[in-house]
CSV table of all heavy atoms in Angstrom, one decimal:
chain,number,residue,atom,x,y,z
A,201,ASP,N,-10.2,-16.2,21.0
A,201,ASP,CA,-8.8,-16.0,20.7
A,201,ASP,C,-8.6,-14.5,20.6
A,201,ASP,O,-9.2,-13.8,19.6
A,201,ASP,CB,-8.2,-16.7,19.5
A,201,ASP,CG,-6.8,-16.3,19.4
A,201,ASP,OD1,-6.0,-17.0,20.0
A,201,ASP,OD2,-6.6,-15.4,18.4
A,202,LEU,N,-7.9,-13.8,21.5
A,202,LEU,CA,-7.8,-12.4,21.5
A,202,LEU,C,-7.2,-11.8,20.2
A,202,LEU,O,-7.7,-10.8,19.6
A,202,LEU,CB,-7.0,-11.9,22.7
A,202,LEU,CG,-6.9,-10.4,22.9
A,202,LEU,CD1,-8.2,-9.7,23.0
A,202,LEU,CD2,-6.1,-10.1,24.2
A,203,LEU,N,-6.1,-12.4,19.8
A,203,LEU,CA,-5.3,-11.9,18.7
A,203,LEU,C,-6.2,-12.0,17.4
A,203,LEU,O,-6.3,-11.1,16.6
A,203,LEU,CB,-4.0,-12.7,18.4
A,203,LEU,CG,-3.1,-12.0,17.4
A,203,LEU,CD1,-2.7,-10.6,17.8
A,203,LEU,CD2,-1.9,-12.8,17.4
A,204,ALA,N,-6.8,-13.1,17.2
A,204,ALA,CA,-7.7,-13.3,16.0
A,204,ALA,C,-8.8,-12.3,16.0
A,204,ALA,O,-9.2,-11.7,15.0
A,204,ALA,CB,-8.1,-14.7,16.0
A,205,ALA,N,-9.5,-12.1,17.2
A,205,ALA,CA,-10.7,-11.2,17.3
A,205,ALA,C,-10.1,-9.8,17.0
A,205,ALA,O,-10.9,-9.0,16.4
A,205,ALA,CB,-11.2,-11.3,18.7
A,206,ALA,N,-8.9,-9.4,17.5
A,206,ALA,CA,-8.5,-8.0,17.4
A,206,ALA,C,-8.2,-7.8,15.9
A,206,ALA,O,-8.6,-6.8,15.3
A,206,ALA,CB,-7.3,-7.8,18.2
A,207,ARG,N,-7.7,-8.8,15.2
A,207,ARG,CA,-7.3,-8.7,13.8
A,207,ARG,C,-8.5,-8.5,13.0
A,207,ARG,O,-8.6,-7.7,12.1
A,207,ARG,CB,-6.5,-9.9,13.3
A,207,ARG,CG,-6.0,-9.9,11.9
A,207,ARG,CD,-5.3,-11.2,11.6
A,207,ARG,NE,-4.8,-11.1,10.2
A,207,ARG,CZ,-5.4,-11.6,9.2
A,207,ARG,NH1,-6.7,-12.1,9.3
A,207,ARG,NH2,-5.0,-11.6,8.0
A,208,ALA,N,-9.6,-9.4,13.3
A,208,ALA,CA,-10.9,-9.2,12.6
A,208,ALA,C,-11.5,-7.8,12.8
A,208,ALA,O,-12.0,-7.3,11.8
A,208,ALA,CB,-11.7,-10.3,13.1
A,209,LYS,N,-11.4,-7.3,14.0
A,209,LYS,CA,-12.0,-6.0,14.3
A,209,LYS,C,-11.2,-4.9,13.5
A,209,LYS,O,-11.9,-4.0,12.9
A,209,LYS,CB,-12.1,-5.8,15.8
A,209,LYS,CG,-12.7,-4.4,16.1
A,209,LYS,CD,-14.0,-4.3,15.6
A,209,LYS,CE,-15.1,-4.5,16.7
A,209,LYS,NZ,-16.4,-4.2,16.2
A,210,ALA,N,-9.9,-5.1,13.5
A,210,ALA,CA,-9.1,-4.1,12.8
A,210,ALA,C,-9.4,-4.0,11.3
A,210,ALA,O,-9.7,-2.9,10.7
A,210,ALA,CB,-7.7,-4.3,13.1
A,211,LEU,N,-9.6,-5.2,10.7
A,211,LEU,CA,-9.9,-5.3,9.3
A,211,LEU,C,-11.3,-4.7,9.0
A,211,LEU,O,-11.6,-4.1,8.0
A,211,LEU,CB,-9.8,-6.7,8.8
A,211,LEU,CG,-8.4,-7.3,8.7
A,211,LEU,CD1,-8.4,-8.8,8.4
A,211,LEU,CD2,-7.5,-6.6,7.6
A,212,GLU,N,-12.2,-5.0,9.9
A,212,GLU,CA,-13.6,-4.5,9.8
A,212,GLU,C,-13.6,-3.0,9.7
A,212,GLU,O,-14.3,-2.4,9.0
A,212,GLU,CB,-14.4,-5.1,11.0
A,212,GLU,CG,-15.9,-4.5,11.0
A,212,GLU,CD,-16.5,-4.8,12.3
A,212,GLU,OE1,-16.2,-5.9,12.9
A,212,GLU,OE2,-17.4,-4.0,12.7
A,213,LEU,N,-12.9,-2.4,10.7
A,213,LEU,CA,-12.8,-0.9,10.9
A,213,LEU,C,-12.1,-0.3,9.6
A,213,LEU,O,-12.5,0.7,9.0
A,213,LEU,CB,-12.1,-0.6,12.1
A,213,LEU,CG,-12.8,-0.9,13.4
A,213,LEU,CD1,-11.9,-0.5,14.6
A,213,LEU,CD2,-14.1,-0.1,13.6
A,214,ALA,N,-11.1,-1.0,9.2
A,214,ALA,CA,-10.3,-0.4,8.1
A,214,ALA,C,-11.2,-0.5,6.8
A,214,ALA,O,-11.1,0.4,5.9
A,214,ALA,CB,-9.0,-1.2,7.8
A,215,GLY,N,-12.0,-1.5,6.7
A,215,GLY,CA,-12.8,-1.7,5.5
A,215,GLY,C,-14.1,-0.8,5.4
A,215,GLY,O,-14.7,-0.8,4.4
A,216,SER,N,-14.3,-0.1,6.5
A,216,SER,CA,-15.5,0.7,6.7
A,216,SER,C,-15.4,2.0,5.8
A,216,SER,O,-16.4,2.6,5.5
A,216,SER,CB,-15.8,1.1,8.1
A,216,SER,OG,-14.8,1.9,8.6
A,217,GLY,N,-14.2,2.3,5.5
A,217,GLY,CA,-13.9,3.5,4.7
A,217,GLY,C,-14.1,4.9,5.4
A,217,GLY,O,-13.9,6.0,4.8
A,218,THR,N,-14.3,4.8,6.7
A,218,THR,CA,-14.5,6.0,7.5
A,218,THR,C,-13.3,6.1,8.6
A,218,THR,O,-13.1,4.9,9.2
A,218,THR,CB,-15.8,6.2,8.1
A,218,THR,OG1,-16.0,5.1,9.0
A,218,THR,CG2,-16.9,6.4,7.0
A,219,ARG,N,-12.9,7.2,8.9
A,219,ARG,CA,-11.9,7.3,10.0
A,219,ARG,C,-12.6,8.0,11.2
A,219,ARG,O,-13.1,9.2,11.0
A,219,ARG,CB,-10.7,8.1,9.6
A,219,ARG,CG,-9.7,8.3,10.8
A,219,ARG,CD,-8.4,9.1,10.2
A,219,ARG,NE,-7.5,9.3,11.3
A,219,ARG,CZ,-6.4,10.2,11.2
A,219,ARG,NH1,-6.3,10.9,10.1
A,219,ARG,NH2,-5.6,10.3,12.2
A,220,ARG,N,-12.7,7.3,12.3
A,220,ARG,CA,-13.4,7.8,13.4
A,220,ARG,C,-12.5,8.7,14.4
A,220,ARG,O,-11.4,8.2,14.7
A,220,ARG,CB,-14.1,6.8,14.2
A,220,ARG,CG,-15.1,6.0,13.4
A,220,ARG,CD,-15.8,4.9,14.3
A,220,ARG,NE,-14.8,4.0,14.9
A,220,ARG,CZ,-15.1,3.2,15.9
A,220,ARG,NH1,-16.2,3.2,16.4
A,220,ARG,NH2,-14.1,2.5,16.4
A,221,GLN,N,-12.9,9.8,14.6
A,221,GLN,CA,-12.2,10.7,15.7
A,221,GLN,C,-13.2,11.2,16.7
A,221,GLN,O,-14.3,11.6,16.3
A,221,GLN,CB,-11.5,11.8,14.9
A,221,GLN,CG,-10.4,11.3,13.9
A,221,GLN,CD,-9.7,12.6,13.3
A,221,GLN,OE1,-8.7,13.0,14.1
A,221,GLN,NE2,-10.0,13.0,12.2
A,222,ALA,N,-12.7,11.3,17.9
A,222,ALA,CA,-13.6,11.9,18.9
A,222,ALA,C,-14.1,13.2,18.6
A,222,ALA,O,-15.4,13.5,18.9
A,222,ALA,CB,-12.9,11.9,20.2
A,223,ARG,N,-13.3,14.1,17.9
A,223,ARG,CA,-13.9,15.4,17.6
A,223,ARG,C,-15.0,15.4,16.6
A,223,ARG,O,-15.8,16.4,16.5
A,223,ARG,CB,-12.7,16.2,17.0
A,223,ARG,CG,-12.2,15.9,15.7
A,223,ARG,CD,-11.0,16.7,15.3
A,223,ARG,NE,-9.8,16.1,16.0
A,223,ARG,CZ,-9.0,16.9,16.7
A,223,ARG,NH1,-9.2,18.2,16.7
A,223,ARG,NH2,-8.0,16.4,17.3
A,224,ASP,N,-15.2,14.3,15.9
A,224,ASP,CA,-16.2,14.3,14.8
A,224,ASP,C,-17.5,13.6,15.4
A,224,ASP,O,-18.6,13.7,14.7
A,224,ASP,CB,-15.8,13.4,13.7
A,224,ASP,CG,-14.6,14.1,13.0
A,224,ASP,OD1,-14.4,15.4,13.1
A,224,ASP,OD2,-13.7,13.3,12.5
A,225,LEU,N,-17.5,13.1,16.7
A,225,LEU,CA,-18.7,12.4,17.1
A,225,LEU,C,-19.8,13.3,17.5
A,225,LEU,O,-19.6,14.4,18.0
A,225,LEU,CB,-18.3,11.6,18.4
A,225,LEU,CG,-17.3,10.4,18.2
A,225,LEU,CD1,-17.0,9.7,19.5
A,225,LEU,CD2,-17.9,9.4,17.1
A,226,ASP,N,-21.0,13.0,17.2
A,226,ASP,CA,-22.2,13.7,17.5
A,226,ASP,C,-22.5,13.6,19.0
A,226,ASP,O,-22.6,12.5,19.5
A,226,ASP,CB,-23.4,13.2,16.7
A,226,ASP,CG,-24.7,14.0,17.0
A,226,ASP,OD1,-24.5,14.9,17.8
A,226,ASP,OD2,-25.6,13.7,16.3
A,227,ARG,N,-22.5,14.8,19.7
A,227,ARG,CA,-22.7,14.7,21.2
A,227,ARG,C,-24.0,14.0,21.5
A,227,ARG,O,-24.1,13.5,22.5
A,227,ARG,CB,-22.6,16.1,21.7
A,227,ARG,CG,-21.2,16.6,21.7
A,227,ARG,CD,-21.1,17.9,22.3
A,227,ARG,NE,-19.9,18.6,22.3
A,227,ARG,CZ,-19.6,20.0,22.2
A,227,ARG,NH1,-20.7,20.7,22.2
A,227,ARG,NH2,-18.5,20.4,22.2
A,228,GLN,N,-24.9,14.2,20.7
A,228,GLN,CA,-26.3,13.7,21.0
A,228,GLN,C,-26.9,14.0,22.3
A,228,GLN,O,-27.4,13.2,23.1
A,228,GLN,CB,-26.3,12.1,20.7
A,228,GLN,CG,-25.9,11.7,19.3
A,228,GLN,CD,-25.9,10.2,19.2
A,228,GLN,OE1,-25.5,9.5,20.2
A,228,GLN,NE2,-26.2,9.6,18.0
A,229,LEU,N,-26.7,15.3,22.6
A,229,LEU,CA,-27.3,15.8,23.9
A,229,LEU,C,-28.8,15.7,23.9
A,229,LEU,O,-29.4,16.1,22.9
A,229,LEU,CB,-26.7,17.2,24.2
A,229,LEU,CG,-25.3,17.3,24.4
A,229,LEU,CD1,-24.9,18.8,24.6
A,229,LEU,CD2,-24.9,16.5,25.7
A,230,GLN,N,-29.4,15.3,25.0
A,230,GLN,CA,-30.8,15.3,25.2
A,230,GLN,C,-31.3,16.3,26.2
A,230,GLN,O,-30.4,16.9,27.0
A,230,GLN,CB,-31.1,13.9,25.8
A,230,GLN,CG,-30.7,12.7,25.0
A,230,GLN,CD,-31.3,12.8,23.6
A,230,GLN,OE1,-32.4,13.0,23.4
A,230,GLN,NE2,-30.5,12.3,22.6
A,231,PRO,N,-32.4,16.8,26.0
A,231,PRO,CA,-33.0,17.8,27.0
A,231,PRO,C,-32.8,17.3,28.4
A,231,PRO,O,-33.1,16.2,28.7
A,231,PRO,CB,-34.5,17.9,26.5
A,231,PRO,CG,-34.5,17.4,25.2
A,231,PRO,CD,-33.5,16.4,25.0
A,232,GLY,N,-32.4,18.1,29.3
A,232,GLY,CA,-32.1,17.8,30.6
A,232,GLY,C,-30.7,17.3,30.9
A,232,GLY,O,-30.3,17.1,32.0
A,233,ASP,N,-29.9,17.0,29.9
A,233,ASP,CA,-28.5,16.6,30.1
A,233,ASP,C,-27.8,17.5,31.0
A,233,ASP,O,-27.0,17.1,31.9
A,233,ASP,CB,-27.8,16.4,28.8
A,233,ASP,CG,-28.3,15.0,28.2
A,233,ASP,OD1,-29.0,14.2,28.9
A,233,ASP,OD2,-27.8,14.6,27.1
A,234,ARG,N,-27.9,18.9,30.5
A,234,ARG,CA,-27.0,19.8,31.3
A,234,ARG,C,-27.4,19.9,32.8
A,234,ARG,O,-26.6,19.9,33.7
A,234,ARG,CB,-27.1,21.3,30.7
A,234,ARG,CG,-26.5,22.5,31.4
A,234,ARG,CD,-24.8,22.1,31.2
A,234,ARG,NE,-24.2,23.2,31.9
A,234,ARG,CZ,-23.8,24.3,31.2
A,234,ARG,NH1,-23.9,24.5,30.0
A,234,ARG,NH2,-23.1,25.2,32.0
A,235,GLU,N,-28.7,19.9,33.1
A,235,GLU,CA,-29.3,19.9,34.5
A,235,GLU,C,-28.7,18.7,35.2
A,235,GLU,O,-28.4,18.8,36.3
A,235,GLU,CB,-30.8,20.0,34.4
A,235,GLU,CG,-31.4,21.4,33.9
A,235,GLU,CD,-31.3,21.5,32.4
A,235,GLU,OE1,-31.0,20.4,31.7
A,235,GLU,OE2,-31.5,22.5,31.9
A,236,ALA,N,-28.8,17.6,34.5
A,236,ALA,CA,-28.5,16.3,35.2
A,236,ALA,C,-26.9,16.3,35.6
A,236,ALA,O,-26.5,15.9,36.5
A,236,ALA,CB,-28.7,15.1,34.3
A,237,PHE,N,-26.1,16.9,34.6
A,237,PHE,CA,-24.7,17.0,34.8
A,237,PHE,C,-24.5,17.9,36.1
A,237,PHE,O,-23.7,17.6,36.9
A,237,PHE,CB,-24.0,17.6,33.6
A,237,PHE,CG,-22.6,18.2,33.9
A,237,PHE,CD1,-21.6,17.3,34.3
A,237,PHE,CD2,-22.4,19.6,34.0
A,237,PHE,CE1,-20.3,18.0,34.7
A,237,PHE,CE2,-21.3,20.1,34.4
A,237,PHE,CZ,-20.1,19.3,34.7
A,238,GLU,N,-25.1,19.1,36.1
A,238,GLU,CA,-24.8,20.1,37.1
A,238,GLU,C,-25.2,19.5,38.5
A,238,GLU,O,-24.5,19.8,39.5
A,238,GLU,CB,-25.6,21.4,36.8
A,238,GLU,CG,-25.1,22.1,35.6
A,238,GLU,CD,-23.7,22.7,35.7
A,238,GLU,OE1,-23.1,22.6,36.8
A,238,GLU,OE2,-23.2,23.2,34.7
A,239,GLN,N,-26.3,18.7,38.5
A,239,GLN,CA,-26.7,18.1,39.8
A,239,GLN,C,-25.6,17.0,40.2
A,239,GLN,O,-25.2,17.1,41.4
A,239,GLN,CB,-28.0,17.3,39.6
A,239,GLN,CG,-28.5,16.7,41.0
A,239,GLN,CD,-29.8,16.0,40.7
A,239,GLN,OE1,-30.5,16.2,39.8
A,239,GLN,NE2,-30.2,15.2,41.7
A,240,ALA,N,-25.1,16.2,39.3
A,240,ALA,CA,-24.0,15.3,39.6
A,240,ALA,C,-22.8,16.0,40.0
A,240,ALA,O,-22.1,15.5,41.0
A,240,ALA,CB,-23.8,14.4,38.4
A,241,ALA,N,-22.5,17.0,39.4
A,241,ALA,CA,-21.2,17.7,39.7
A,241,ALA,C,-21.3,18.4,41.1
A,241,ALA,O,-20.4,18.3,41.9
A,241,ALA,CB,-20.9,18.9,38.6
A,242,ALA,N,-22.5,18.9,41.5
A,242,ALA,CA,-22.7,19.6,42.8
A,242,ALA,C,-22.6,18.5,43.8
A,242,ALA,O,-21.9,18.8,45.0
A,242,ALA,CB,-24.0,20.2,42.8
A,243,GLU,N,-23.1,17.4,43.7
A,243,GLU,CA,-23.1,16.2,44.6
A,243,GLU,C,-21.7,15.8,44.9
A,243,GLU,O,-21.2,15.5,45.9
A,243,GLU,CB,-24.0,15.1,44.2
A,243,GLU,CG,-25.5,15.5,44.3
A,243,GLU,CD,-26.4,14.4,43.7
A,243,GLU,OE1,-25.8,13.4,43.1
A,243,GLU,OE2,-27.7,14.5,43.8
A,244,ALA,N,-20.9,15.7,43.8
A,244,ALA,CA,-19.5,15.3,43.9
A,244,ALA,C,-18.7,16.3,44.6
A,244,ALA,O,-17.8,15.9,45.4
A,244,ALA,CB,-18.9,14.9,42.5
A,245,LEU,N,-18.9,17.6,44.3
A,245,LEU,CA,-18.2,18.6,45.0
A,245,LEU,C,-18.5,18.7,46.4
A,245,LEU,O,-17.6,18.9,47.3
A,245,LEU,CB,-18.4,19.9,44.2
A,245,LEU,CG,-17.8,20.1,42.9
A,245,LEU,CD1,-18.5,21.3,42.2
A,245,LEU,CD2,-16.3,20.4,43.1
């Protein structure tokens, strides 16, 4: 049931005591990520 599942998820998030925002997320970049991105961007272009 979508409404029940959404309500449960909302309560779970509210009870966690933290407010998540995109600006606070750890990028968690790995070695080679920049090179992989540049290659994918070059292929797309």
Side-chain angles (χ1 to χ4, degrees):
D201 180 80
L202 180 60
L203 188 59
R207 181 176 183 274
K209 180 55 105 175
L211 290 171
E212 175 194 328
L213 293 172
S216 66
T218 59
R219 182 181 179 191
R220 299 182 305 163
Q221 297 187 78
R223 74 188 69 232
D224 299 326
L225 294 178
D226 182 357
R227 290 180 181 152
Q228 297 180 328
L229 292 175
Q230 304 297 321
D233 280 356
R234 178 67 183 267
E235 291 77 9
F237 159 75
E238 293 296 350
Q239 181 181 346
E243 291 172 357
L245 288 164

